[in-house]
Amino acid sequence: MPLRPAPAQSLASRVFVAQLAVMMAVVVVGTIGAAVQARRAVAAKAASTTLAVARTVATDPQVAVALRGPDPARALQSHVEEVRRRNDVSFVVVMSPAGQRYTHPISEKIGQIYVGSLGAAPNGGEETETRAGTMGVSLRSVVPIRERPDGPVMGLVAVGIPVEHIEGEVASWMPTVLAAGVAAALVTWVVGTIGARRVARATHGMTVPELRGLYDCYDAALHAMREGLVLIGEDGQVRVVNDEARRLLGVNGTLTGAPSASLGLPADLVAAVSAGTALSDRAVVAGSRIVVASVAPTGGGGSGAVITLRDRTELEEVAGELASTRTLMDALRAQSHEAGNRLHTVVSLVEMGQPDEAVAFATEEAARGQRLTDEVMSASGEPAVTALLLAKSNDAARRGVSLDLDPDSWLPAGIAPAPELVTIVGNLVDNAIEAAARSAAARVGVAMYVENHQAVIEVTDSGPGLPTDADAFAPGWTTKPDDGRPHGLGLALVREAAARLGGTVQVADDDSSCLVARFPAGGTSG
């Protein structure tokens, strides 16, 4: 029977196990370190006790007097034993500088040589060591005895504490040390469990391969989106920028960690991000493109936001061309309707027996149409512009606006790509017709010529003109009422088309109702 593979551990379980292992190792090492430190502290305390008792005995005047006497052993034994019992030490041995004992807890050892190292004590120093002797293994200190500080060494005193007493005291500390270790281990377990549960909630209990796969899918989807996406953190810094957003914003390199103001977006959009307010379908210029931006706050009380960017450049250009086509179609329909009326008029005049009037009427109408066609064709060698101007003339007439073409106008063929010319001329004329239709004179003038190797297109209208402080070429700026449809992109498209040709468009210095587009003659869009 094949073995079933073990289930994969979730990220929370892995984090919990790793965290628990590390923290348990720290607890174990800390407990061992505490035990070692406790033993050192007890040993240091024992050494300090033996030195203190030995120095007390060495400075006792009774001891010095006894050492000068004929029988130091008889004079000191009971006194020294009383000191030993009072200080709870293993032994207090008073001896000669050569190490012959005068006192000892075991009376048979009196008179024998001290077992242990005297070190520097015979020369006036002090010695502390752990060594086996007649009382077993003990920690002992040896101190010289002098009548005065600068006097000769009259004898030595050794004080010792059994090592087993030290170990016993260390053992008495161990329950406290172990209890602290167990408490630390329990705290570690509780903290690890809480942390693991929080990680599990945050990751929905997914395993590492599942999270890796989810991230790969998220990253692929993020960069494959045809809509620009920018994530702003609550600190106002850029967190994520996908490929489309980089293209639309015209930036290269990493933007992660940069402030949102560095994206090159308008101030009101950046302010909306900082204030955490929503903003929908705001037309902005990003580089050479027209982009529709929206801001959605991420919530949480901070200034985090999601910025979405949609490219409207091609869409607006196509919409402009479609509008021109519709205008042409409307003009053709109107012409067809008018041609039908005129034909009926000619037929009726013939039927009424007035053929001369019929011929005169037909000739006059034909001459009028031909004059318009001749004027437009003489002004432009570009067929697309010729057709556009014919359509705009008929559209203007239909709306009661007179479109006058400067008789000296001439725009040769091939001076610029037709799509850019249609965008520039079509939007300038459309805006002029809109403005002129609201005025009493209702007139639009168009002049096209080449000057100093530059193509110049001037469009003037009888409207009120543009405000002096208006940025009419900014996306979204318009004088039209808000009817729910996007406005204010026509002149922005003109500016972008002129920029692609290496030129500019601006308001004439002496006439706010005259817009002038200039670009190198024979240029190509770039």
Side-chain angles (χ1 to χ4, degrees):
M1 181 177 178
L3 295 176
R4 300 177 64 182
Q9 282 187 319
S10 66
L11 176 63
S13 299
R14 289 194 177 189
V15 171
F16 174 69
V17 171
Q19 183 182 26
L20 190 63
V22 171
M23 297 184 73
M24 284 300 181
V26 171
V27 169
V28 170
V29 172
T31 303
I32 294 174
V36 172
Q37 189 64 27
R39 192 182 190 288
R40 288 179 179 175
V42 172
K45 178 182 176 183
S48 177
T49 300
T50 56
L51 275 173
V53 174
R55 288 167 182 168
T56 301
V57 174
T59 56
D60 189 345
Q62 184 177 344
V63 173
V65 171
L67 289 177
R68 288 198 306 271
D71 191 0
R74 181 183 296 276
L76 291 174
Q77 177 66 14
S78 60
H79 175 65
V80 170
E81 280 298 297
E82 176 63 24
V83 172
R84 179 185 69 81
R85 287 190 293 270
R86 190 167 59 246
N87 289 278
D88 193 23
V89 294
S90 177
F91 62 84
V92 178
V93 176
V94 179
M95 66 191 91
S96 68
Q100 183 181 4
R101 299 187 185 107
Y102 296 137
T103 66
H104 198 277
I106 302 175
S107 57
E108 290 79 4
K109 303 296 182 179
I110 297 174
Q112 297 180 6
I113 299 299
Y114 173 75
V115 179
S117 173
L118 299 178
N123 299 321
E126 295 179 343
E127 178 72 15
T128 299
E129 67 171 351
T130 299
R131 183 166 180 165
T134 56
M135 302 292 292
V137 182
S138 61
L139 184 149
R140 56 187 69 184
S141 297
V142 183
V143 175
I145 301 174
R146 293 187 176 99
E147 266 192 307
R148 59 183 185 276
D150 58 346
V153 176
M154 301 174 58
L156 306 173
V157 57
V159 178
I161 295 177
V163 171
E164 61 183 16
H165 288 182
I166 297 175
E167 297 294 343
E169 188 170 353
V170 172
S172 68
W173 277 84
M174 287 311 296
T176 302
V177 173
L178 292 175
V182 171
L186 289 175
V187 171
T188 298
W189 181 275
V190 172
V191 172
T193 302
I194 294 174
R197 288 179 178 175
R198 295 190 65 178
V199 173
R201 285 196 300 269
T203 60
H204 301 284
M206 289 188 289
T207 64
V208 173
E210 289 173 339
L211 287 172
R212 185 182 297 114
L214 182 63
Y215 172 79
D216 291 341
C217 291
Y218 155 80
D219 189 63
L222 183 67
H223 292 290
M225 289 176 61
R226 297 309 301 165
E227 187 174 69
L229 183 68
V230 181
L231 302 183
I232 307 297
E234 293 187 358
D235 55 359
Q237 294 184 338
V238 178
R239 290 287 175 263
V240 176
V241 182
N242 71 348
D243 296 342
E244 181 66 4
R246 293 178 189 278
R247 183 185 74 86
L248 295 178
L249 295 174
V251 295
N252 294 316
T254 180
L255 285 173
T256 304
S260 57
S262 66
L263 295 173
L265 297 172
D268 60 340
L269 202 103
V270 176
V273 172
S274 301
T277 57
L279 193 65
S280 299
D281 297 335
R282 170 73 161 83
V284 300
V285 173
S288 62
R289 314 196 72 81
I290 296 176
V291 177
V292 175
S294 298
V295 177
T298 57
S303 58
V306 177
I307 303 175
T308 56
L309 306 170
R310 287 172 289 147
D311 192 359
R312 288 288 296 271
T313 307
E314 290 86 356
L315 180 60
E316 291 300 328
E317 290 177 349
V318 171
E321 294 176 6
L322 178 59
S324 298
T325 303
R326 285 177 175 172
T327 300
L328 179 58
M329 291 176 62
D330 291 340
L332 291 175
R333 288 194 189 99
Q335 284 184 343
S336 175
H337 182 73
E338 289 300 316
N341 290 335
R342 291 165 186 153
L343 181 60
H344 286 304
T345 301
V346 171
V347 171
S348 296
L349 288 172
V350 172
E351 288 177 346
M352 292 169 58
Q354 298 179 359
D356 294 336
E357 287 79 0
V359 171
F361 179 80
T363 303
E364 181 182 355
E365 290 300 319
R368 185 184 304 169
Q370 188 60 44
R371 281 196 304 271
L372 177 61
T373 303
D374 291 342
E375 288 178 3
V376 174
M377 292 187 68
S378 65
S380 172
E382 179 60 53
V385 175
T386 301
L388 177 67
L389 288 175
L390 285 172
K392 297 300 181 185
S393 296
N394 290 308
D395 181 56
R398 183 170 55 87
R399 299 178 62 177
V401 176
S402 173
L403 194 153
D404 300 328
L405 190 61
D406 191 304
D408 296 328
S409 293
W410 171 245
L411 203 63
I415 198 167
E420 274 73 13
L421 286 176
V422 169
T423 298
I424 294 172
V425 175
N427 282 288
L428 289 179
V429 172
D430 278 343
N431 280 0
I433 292 174
E434 287 282 348
R438 297 193 294 268
S439 67
R443 187 191 64 83
V444 172
V446 179
M448 302 182 297
Y449 53 92
V450 177
E451 181 182 65
N452 296 328
H453 305 289
Q454 278 197 325
V456 181
I457 300 174
E458 294 182 2
V459 178
T460 308
D461 62 74
S462 59
L466 296 173
T468 56
D469 58 346
D471 184 8
F473 300 99
W477 189 93
T478 183
T479 58
K480 297 177 183 178
D482 186 7
D483 55 4
R485 295 184 299 173
H487 295 296
L489 295 178
L491 292 182
L493 288 172
V494 171
R495 181 171 65 178
E496 297 306 323
R500 288 197 295 271
L501 295 174
T504 60
V505 60
Q506 59 189 10
V507 180
D509 295 334
D510 56 348
D511 187 356
S512 65
S513 62
C514 178
L515 299 182
V516 182
R518 298 176 183 270
F519 50 88
T524 57
S525 111

